[in-house]
Amino acid sequence: MLFFGIIPLTTNAQTYDEAAYDALEYRLIGPFRGGRSAAVTGVPSKPNLFYFGATGGGIWETKNGGRTWKNISDGYFGGSIGAIEVAESDPNVIYVGGGEKTVRGNVSSGYGMWKSEDAGKTWKASGLPKSRHISRIAIHPKDYNTVYAAVLGNIYKSSEERGVYKSTDGGKTWQKKLFANSDAGAVDLIMDPNNPRILYASTWNVRRTPYSLSSGGEGSALWKSTDSGETWKEISKNKGFPGDTLGIIGVTVSPANSDRVWAIVEHKEKGGVYRSEDGGETWNNINSDRNLRQRAWYYTRIYADTHDEDVMYVLNVRYHKSTDGGKTYETYNAPHGDHHDLWIAPEDPKRMIIGDDGGAQVTYDGGETWSTYHNQPTSQFYRVTTDNAFPYRIYAAQQDNSTVRIPHRTEGYNIDEDDWESTAGGESAHIAVDPENPNIVYGGSYDGFLTRYNHEKNTVRSISVWPDNPMGHGAEHMKYRFQWNFPIFFSPHDPNKLYTASNHLHVTTNEGESWEVISPDLTRDDPDKQKSSGGPITQDNTSVEYYCTIFAAAESPVTPGLLWTGSDDGLVHVSRDGGENWENVTPKGMPEWMMINSIEPSVFDPATCYIAGTKYKTGDFAPYLYKTSDYGKTWKKITNGIASEHFTRVVREGPKQKGLLYAGTETGMYISFNDGANWQPFQLNLPIVPITDLALRDNNLIVATQGRSLWILDDLTVIHQLSEAKNNENYLFKPKDTYRMGGGSRSGSLTSGTNHPSGMMTYFKVSNPEDKEIKLSYLNRANDTISSFSNKNKKENKLTVKEGMNYHNWDMRGEGAERLDGMILWWASTSAPQAVPGEYKVVLEVDDEVYTQMATLLPDANAETDVAGMQRQFDFITDVNKTVDKAHKSIKKIRNINKQLTSFQEQYEDNEAVEALVEKAESLSESLSEIEKALYQTKNRSGQDPLNFPIKLTNKLAHLNSLVSMDDFPPTQQDIAVKNELTAKIEAELTKFDKILSEEIQAFNAEFNAMNLNYLFVEEDQD
């Protein structure tokens, strides 16, 4: 009997403890370009200390006035931050509320209240777990255990958790003190700086759905408490305040005059800035400029100067400053627009921190200058893809900024601003890169805007499917409904075929010169969900709420013309003939109105496809992943093991191992080893952050986040080998193919991304390593050991080993030339050459047990020489090093002999019986010193000394190592000529030295021994 519903998986569980792969680490590549922040604060009388909360990225701290920022919530919590406050009575006490107030289309909820009592070193959960969005916190100035929280609540449905809450025991317990209704949460909250018994709060009726945003309505009001928040009185009904429907309201009190209160009010006819001179008893509308209140739901925050009662600020796209009590304003820009929060230092109002769509910036001069936001890895990204360049580049669109393309690795030691560049499309883009020419990039943006960008010629062309600008219109007016984040993708079979999607699927084969519609409307096309968004006061149509659109689409990588689409209103369609015919294959039993956020056709089987859905914008935070193996006739729900509120945004199939799946959720990463039958966390060192998209390329996993920029896991071959390693106490993983490239990896930077290591990444598992000798060696095809590392070594080639999984990176080099302590060499290298591309053997020895794997070293695809040329380079540098090594070891011998000769001279300088022998010792010492001085400039004692004392032979020869190893090239003819000349000169000096050793030193020793002196002369060989 054929069942067309959702069939539960019966596959046997297959999981691995994280310890089986915990040596793997995600690598932050950046960009370090701030994303949205709606919560900032400083600390009174600590001028360089500030904090901000990122919308998706947790809590950040600067101790140097914004020059660098460090995350301080990782390991405890993360995600979206709505409020942060430092206790005045003890700045070690910090309260944080999760969930941003900026309820735009990609808004994320938070994880309740958190508290630190040691200035952010450690944190503990402090209640309100169902608050979802905490928009303000107020702390009693003398008692940090008395704290208030403005809870906006669940913005997707009615909720009893909304309102103002109070705790008197430091967050252990909370009591709701103000509740407007189940649709209106508390959005602003401020304590009178001069009287902590007086508080002001605003409540806001706000609702976001998948197809609308509503700001204003019953429950939107302004409130005041005069008894420490125990009771509240609505003051938005007082004289002078606008009547009828209110929207969002911001409120502030002047610290210089508690009777002066300002409010900024969203209202259809009478919106603007209101001022009260009697603590809210009466009000006057003093400014209605729309620049102060445009797009009110996204802004509407107001702040009072801490010293001057006539100075105040209103935040919006730009920020506005008044010096006449709010009547008139001058308009300013911080480094990034769209401002959401401001903190003004009580002791110095020129010291401020502002939060905006670019993160947080600090000023010490009242806004004349601001710190940068190009030092915060809190970017919010939508979709991610890669190109076919070498090294490949990663493409993504940053919310509130541009698209970026960024190399996944460089030949430097980090990935910084010089490595990023903008590309096609805008902040909300899907991006598609020409498979045959990575300089041609296609990118979208909101309102159906689609561009073709040519990086080589620096040209850009609009190729929008239907270039009718819809700004401000509801979806009902559109010929084609293009969502804010509409799909764009190339056919995996035809590099000339580019697809994009509205409510129809479109295709072009001439780079966007023309488009063909190849589907009917593949959505529910519900007219009730295609209306202008934003009411009842302010409309807001940017295409974020355009609904009944195709939100995900893909062509099978196995079968040409096998097309899948998923709509944001919950339909899945398939075409098996390139779009001629379509079948509705929506999973039966799947909740209606599901947003199909990603579609993943299998690389192994054309009948298999995976989808990830979300319903969080209806207040359902459950994960939804489905799999079909019969072209959508039946589906299986595959979410076992994913936490109940970790709603799923993306699922991707591992292209190297059937049944290996990766899922990105609102709260982290998951992995399945058995085709979705079971999932387990795959978080490792990845911070708690919404994961918006995943891409797999060259055994790398690329992670796009909403608040922590881009991350990458560099070696999935470990995951592919876990089944082999599982039942072995010790195991050497086969290293993934390694490119012979320059550069390197320096982790820990606060201003740049971590680069891919340059070397052979080697993973091994060891059980009970204590008291065992563990060696890791790298051999060539002739079984010659190039490098060997041991846990028993003291310093050189020390191998660090712990129980379980271990990681070691071999730099692809053997032993270089001897370099004596204190040697000053100018632009010279004694390092061994990089290994030549080819096959190598890796050997793990655990006491007497031996484990072997073969490893492949690949040439840099950008190299201008072939492997034979690299071999000539290797041989050249090896010969150079051999001569330099021999010379430097000879210098070591010379210094040892001279030390003894000098000691002999000092002991017997007044002994006439051995006067001739003393003179002989002096002559020998001079001869040896002349050889040393010919080989090496002994006068050089500091780095710049070679400018004064000319370098000598070994420095000159070692300089050729530096030159020839600059990149992948064989030596030039002149390199060889100079090498031969210098080598001959060095060999001549070494011949002199050998002669002195074999003749004069031997003769000196014989004469010395014949005299029976009480001195032992020894020629030590310290090799």
Side-chain angles (χ1 to χ4, degrees):
M1 173 177 168
L2 193 60
F3 178 66
F4 291 92
I6 297 171
I7 303 172
L9 279 180
T10 58
T11 309
N12 290 330
Q14 182 180 356
T15 60
Y16 298 92
D17 191 288
E18 188 175 290
Y21 51 80
D22 64 2
L24 293 171
E25 285 192 353
Y26 292 93
R27 171 169 60 89
L28 170 64
I29 65 170
F32 279 63
R33 185 170 70 176
R36 187 166 68 250
S37 171
V40 298
T41 192
V43 181
S45 302
K46 292 195 175 184
N48 293 319
L49 179 60
F50 298 90
Y51 303 94
F52 80 86
T55 57
I59 298 295
W60 297 78
E61 173 193 70
T62 180
K63 293 183 176 179
N64 52 23
R67 288 190 290 276
T68 58
W69 293 89
K70 179 181 179 182
N71 186 282
I72 58 171
S73 59
D74 284 351
Y76 295 93
F77 64 100
S80 186
I81 305 301
I84 180 169
E85 195 75 16
V86 178
E88 183 180 331
S89 58
D90 184 351
N92 291 300
V93 177
I94 309 171
Y95 289 91
V96 167
E100 57 183 304
K101 163 262 176 193
T102 42
V103 294
R104 64 174 307 126
N106 69 339
V107 62
S108 280
S109 301
Y111 307 108
M113 285 287 291
W114 289 81
K115 179 184 178 183
S116 174
E117 295 183 346
D118 52 14
K121 292 183 178 67
T122 61
W123 298 86
K124 61 182 178 181
S126 294
L128 303 178
K130 296 182 180 180
S131 56
R132 302 291 181 188
H133 296 265
I134 298 173
S135 51
R136 283 292 195 208
I137 297 170
I139 307 172
H140 193 286
K142 299 297 177 64
D143 175 16
Y144 59 74
N145 287 314
T146 298
V147 57
Y148 305 83
V151 173
L152 197 55
N154 191 327
I155 63 173
Y156 307 112
K157 64 182 182 180
S158 300
S159 167
E160 296 298 313
E161 279 79 23
R162 306 180 193 275
V164 174
Y165 287 76
K166 179 181 180 180
S167 174
T168 57
D169 55 11
K172 294 177 183 176
T173 60
W174 293 86
Q175 290 183 318
K176 183 162 56 177
K177 298 296 184 179
L178 171 63
F179 178 71
N181 62 44
S182 61
D183 295 315
V187 66
D188 211 353
L189 173 68
I190 189 165
M191 182 180 289
D192 186 332
N194 303 303
N195 186 348
R197 292 189 300 273
I198 298 176
L199 296 100
Y200 297 85
S202 62
T203 52
W204 179 31
N205 187 317
V206 62
R207 177 67 57 87
R208 178 168 281 288
T209 75
Y211 49 85
S212 68
L213 170 70
S214 173
S215 174
E218 185 178 354
S220 294
L222 184 62
W223 307 80
K224 181 177 181 179
S225 173
T226 57
D227 57 2
S228 300
E230 293 299 317
T231 61
W232 293 83
K233 176 186 177 183
E234 183 180 350
I235 59 174
S236 48
K237 294 185 181 298
N238 290 355
K239 182 181 178 181
F241 216 83
D244 302 322
T245 302
L246 296 174
I248 186 172
I249 301 169
V251 62
T252 191
V253 181
S254 172
N257 176 5
S258 290
D259 289 330
R260 177 166 281 189
V261 183
W262 290 273
I264 181 165
V265 182
E266 181 187 15
H267 188 275
K268 190 174 286 288
E269 288 87 22
K270 298 179 180 179
V273 176
Y274 284 75
R275 190 175 76 191
S276 173
E277 300 291 355
D278 50 17
E281 290 296 317
T282 59
W283 297 89
N284 288 299
N285 186 343
I286 58 174
N287 192 298
S288 59
D289 186 350
R290 291 202 62 84
N291 287 303
L292 306 180
R293 56 192 181 97
Q294 59 187 326
R295 212 178 191 198
W297 64 269
Y298 198 46
Y299 307 107
T300 311
R301 284 281 171 87
I302 193 165
Y303 302 84
D305 186 271
T306 52
H307 285 190
D308 189 336
E309 66 177 282
D310 286 326
V311 177
M312 46 83 70
Y313 299 83
V314 176
L315 303 190
N316 204 278
V317 178
R318 296 187 286 178
Y319 73 91
H320 310 270
K321 180 180 180 180
S322 175
T323 57
D324 59 6
K327 296 177 183 176
T328 62
Y329 295 85
E330 294 289 332
T331 297
Y332 302 91
N333 278 324
H336 198 291
D338 296 344
H339 307 297
H340 302 297
D341 198 15
L342 181 70
W343 179 86
I344 306 170
E347 78 282 2
D348 177 11
K350 289 188 174 182
R351 183 170 76 92
M352 301 187 289
I353 179 172
I354 199 166
D356 50 43
D357 279 358
Q361 302 103 55
V362 172
T363 181
Y364 291 94
D365 53 17
E368 292 292 322
T369 58
W370 295 89
S371 62
T372 183
Y373 65 91
H374 285 262
N375 54 7
Q376 301 159 33
T378 56
S379 306
Q380 295 181 309
F381 286 103
Y382 288 97
R383 308 294 178 160
V384 65
T385 191
T386 63
D387 66 13
N388 289 328
F390 183 88
Y392 71 80
R393 291 170 292 212
I394 297 169
Y395 295 73
Q398 182 183 346
Q399 172 65 46
D400 302 308
N401 219 303
S402 70
T403 52
V404 297
R405 74 171 182 175
I406 181 170
H408 87 281
R409 66 182 296 178
T410 72
E411 297 212 48
Y413 286 89
N414 52 24
I415 299 174
D416 59 25
E417 197 169 352
D418 291 338
D419 300 306
W420 320 329
E421 61 181 331
S422 60
T423 185
E427 62 178 307
S428 60
H430 272 257
I431 298 173
V433 188
D434 189 313
E436 296 183 323
N437 182 358
N439 280 317
I440 305 295
V441 185
Y442 299 84
S445 191
Y446 51 87
D447 291 336
F449 182 56
L450 179 55
T451 59
R452 173 192 179 274
Y453 191 96
N454 186 326
H455 281 272
E456 185 176 14
K457 299 183 181 299
N458 196 30
T459 56
V460 61
R461 183 187 191 188
S462 168
I463 56 166
S464 301
V465 172
W466 194 252
D468 179 10
N469 191 338
M471 181 57 70
H473 291 267
E476 73 272 20
H477 296 132
M478 301 300 102
K479 179 180 177 68
Y480 301 117
R481 295 186 297 277
F482 281 93
Q483 225 280 334
W484 170 270
N485 184 230
F486 62 89
I488 310 166
F489 60 100
F490 271 97
S491 166
H493 307 285
D494 182 352
N496 297 312
K497 185 177 286 186
L498 177 69
Y499 298 94
T500 191
S502 57
N503 50 317
H504 301 267
L505 192 64
H506 309 262
V507 67
T508 181
T509 55
N510 55 16
E511 300 185 309
E513 178 69 27
S514 62
W515 291 90
E516 179 187 357
V517 177
I518 60 169
S519 82
D521 190 324
L522 298 178
T523 75
R524 297 181 189 271
D525 194 20
D526 183 347
D528 290 338
K529 295 177 175 59
Q530 298 175 39
K531 297 179 179 179
S532 180
S533 174
I537 300 171
T538 309
Q539 301 301 293
D540 193 80
N541 289 291
T542 61
S543 78
V544 169
E545 292 83 17
Y546 284 8
Y547 199 56
C548 303
T549 72
I550 297 172
F551 204 74
E555 183 178 2
S556 166
V558 180
T559 303
L562 175 56
L563 297 166
W564 298 84
T565 68
S567 68
D568 56 7
D569 59 4
L571 297 184
V572 180
H573 284 84
V574 65
S575 172
R576 299 174 68 174
D577 53 13
E580 290 292 324
N581 297 279
W582 291 87
E583 181 182 0
N584 184 341
V585 293
T586 304
K588 291 179 172 59
M590 184 179 77
E592 287 191 321
W593 307 105
M594 176 85 69
M595 175 185 279
I596 308 302
N597 205 68
S598 77
I599 282 186
E600 181 78 348
S602 174
V603 301
F604 299 103
D605 174 18
T608 297
C609 187
Y610 307 87
I611 60 174
T614 70
K615 274 186 63 67
Y616 74 98
K617 288 186 181 180
T618 60
D620 178 357
F621 298 94
Y624 292 102
L625 300 176
Y626 297 90
K627 175 197 173 185
T628 181
S629 298
D630 53 14
Y631 296 99
K633 292 178 182 178
T634 59
W635 293 85
K636 303 169 185 177
K637 187 178 180 184
I638 52 170
T639 57
N640 184 47
I642 299 178
S644 61
E645 288 201 354
H646 289 194
F647 67 81
T648 43
R649 293 180 179 269
V650 59
V651 60
R652 296 285 179 236
E653 181 186 49
K656 303 291 185 180
Q657 181 173 309
K658 192 173 183 180
L660 185 59
L661 302 177
Y662 304 91
T665 77
E666 177 70 359
T667 312
M669 274 292 303
Y670 285 84
I671 188 170
S672 173
F673 295 93
N674 51 15
D675 218 15
N678 302 91
W679 294 87
Q680 64 188 74
F682 196 48
Q683 197 71 4
L684 299 169
N685 63 313
L686 195 68
I688 296 172
V689 61
I691 294 169
T692 52
D693 202 9
L694 301 170
L696 289 116
R697 175 66 183 264
D698 294 352
N699 287 316
N700 303 151
L701 176 65
I702 303 126
V703 181
T705 75
Q706 187 172 282
R708 292 298 289 270
S709 295
L710 299 169
W711 296 69
I712 185 170
L713 195 64
D714 286 316
D715 191 356
L716 293 176
T717 63
V718 170
I719 300 300
H720 303 155
Q721 299 173 70
L722 287 180
S723 61
E724 302 169 32
K726 187 173 185 177
N727 296 319
N728 294 284
E729 287 191 348
N730 306 316
Y731 189 82
L732 174 64
F733 290 80
K734 178 179 174 59
K736 77 170 187 175
D737 291 353
T738 303
Y739 286 101
R740 176 184 139 131
M741 290 181 63
S745 180
R746 294 172 181 164
S747 61
S749 172
L750 297 178
T751 56
S752 60
T754 302
N755 195 25
H756 189 290
S758 174
M760 186 171 287
M761 302 172 70
T762 311
Y763 293 89
F764 60 95
K765 181 174 78 168
V766 177
S767 179
N768 302 314
E770 301 83 3
D771 302 322
K772 293 179 181 176
E773 181 173 11
I774 299 163
K775 290 177 64 178
L776 189 64
S777 303
Y778 298 86
L779 289 68
N780 62 20
R781 289 187 72 99
N783 280 328
D784 299 322
T785 299
I786 307 169
S787 290
S788 186
F789 305 84
S790 171
N791 62 335
K792 298 299 182 183
N793 291 349
K794 298 299 183 183
K795 291 184 180 180
E796 295 294 324
N797 289 355
K798 173 75 173 178
L799 182 67
T800 302
V801 182
K802 64 177 179 62
E803 172 74 23
M805 273 288 286
N806 292 269
Y807 165 72
H808 176 77
N809 186 62
W810 177 47
D811 65 1
M812 303 178 293
R813 299 176 190 272
E815 295 298 322
E818 178 91 3
R819 190 164 185 155
L820 279 62
D821 290 343
M823 260 191 168
I824 303 295
L825 300 177
W826 185 275
W827 193 2
S829 173
T830 55
S831 297
Q834 280 192 324
V836 178
E839 294 296 313
Y840 291 83
K841 185 183 293 185
V842 186
V843 178
L844 173 67
E845 298 173 73
V846 182
D847 282 342
D848 296 329
E849 299 177 36
V850 180
Y851 308 86
T852 302
Q853 292 281 8
M854 296 305 294
T856 302
L857 182 59
L858 300 172
D860 184 339
N862 293 323
E864 294 186 52
T865 190
D866 56 14
V867 173
M870 295 178 195
Q871 183 67 57
R872 295 202 304 275
Q873 178 195 51
F874 181 91
D875 294 341
F876 179 90
I877 295 173
T878 299
D879 284 348
V880 165
N881 281 350
K882 183 178 179 181
T883 302
V884 171
D885 183 70
K886 183 179 178 182
H888 285 174
K889 286 177 177 174
S890 296
I891 290 173
K892 184 186 286 188
K893 290 181 181 178
I894 287 171
R895 291 179 178 179
N896 178 58
I897 295 169
N898 268 338
K899 181 180 178 181
Q900 296 184 75
L901 288 171
T902 300
S903 179
F904 174 79
Q905 293 173 64
E906 291 173 351
Q907 184 173 347
Y908 292 101
E909 61 182 346
D910 297 325
N911 189 330
E912 294 182 359
V914 292
E915 182 177 350
L917 199 56
V918 169
E919 290 177 357
K920 180 67 173 175
E922 183 177 354
S923 175
L924 277 172
S925 183
E926 289 175 357
S927 298
L928 291 171
S929 294
E930 287 303 313
I931 293 172
E932 179 182 359
K933 291 172 184 177
L935 295 173
Y936 170 69
Q937 178 54 269
T938 58
K939 294 180 180 179
N940 287 332
R941 295 288 187 270
S942 65
Q944 298 285 302
D945 275 355
L947 303 177
N948 187 36
F949 305 113
I951 62 173
K952 297 301 179 70
L953 291 172
T954 63
N955 193 149
K956 285 177 173 289
L957 186 58
H959 175 60
L960 292 176
N961 182 336
S962 291
L963 294 181
V964 177
S965 64
M966 287 175 66
D967 213 326
D968 291 339
F969 289 98
T972 63
Q973 292 303 307
Q974 53 270 29
D975 289 329
I976 295 170
V978 173
K979 170 193 167 246
N980 291 340
E981 182 179 294
L982 291 171
T983 300
K985 291 180 179 180
I986 290 172
E987 290 293 346
E989 295 299 323
L990 296 180
T991 298
K992 293 180 189 177
F993 175 54
D994 289 341
K995 185 176 181 181
I996 290 174
L997 280 180
S998 61
E999 296 179 7
E1000 298 185 49
I1001 292 294
Q1002 290 296 333
F1004 179 87
N1005 273 336
E1007 188 174 351
F1008 175 86
N1009 292 330
M1011 296 184 70
N1012 251 343
L1013 294 174
N1014 186 26
Y1015 187 90
L1016 181 63
F1017 180 86
V1018 180
E1019 178 204 330
E1020 292 184 2
D1021 188 344
Q1022 299 179 1
D1023 290 354

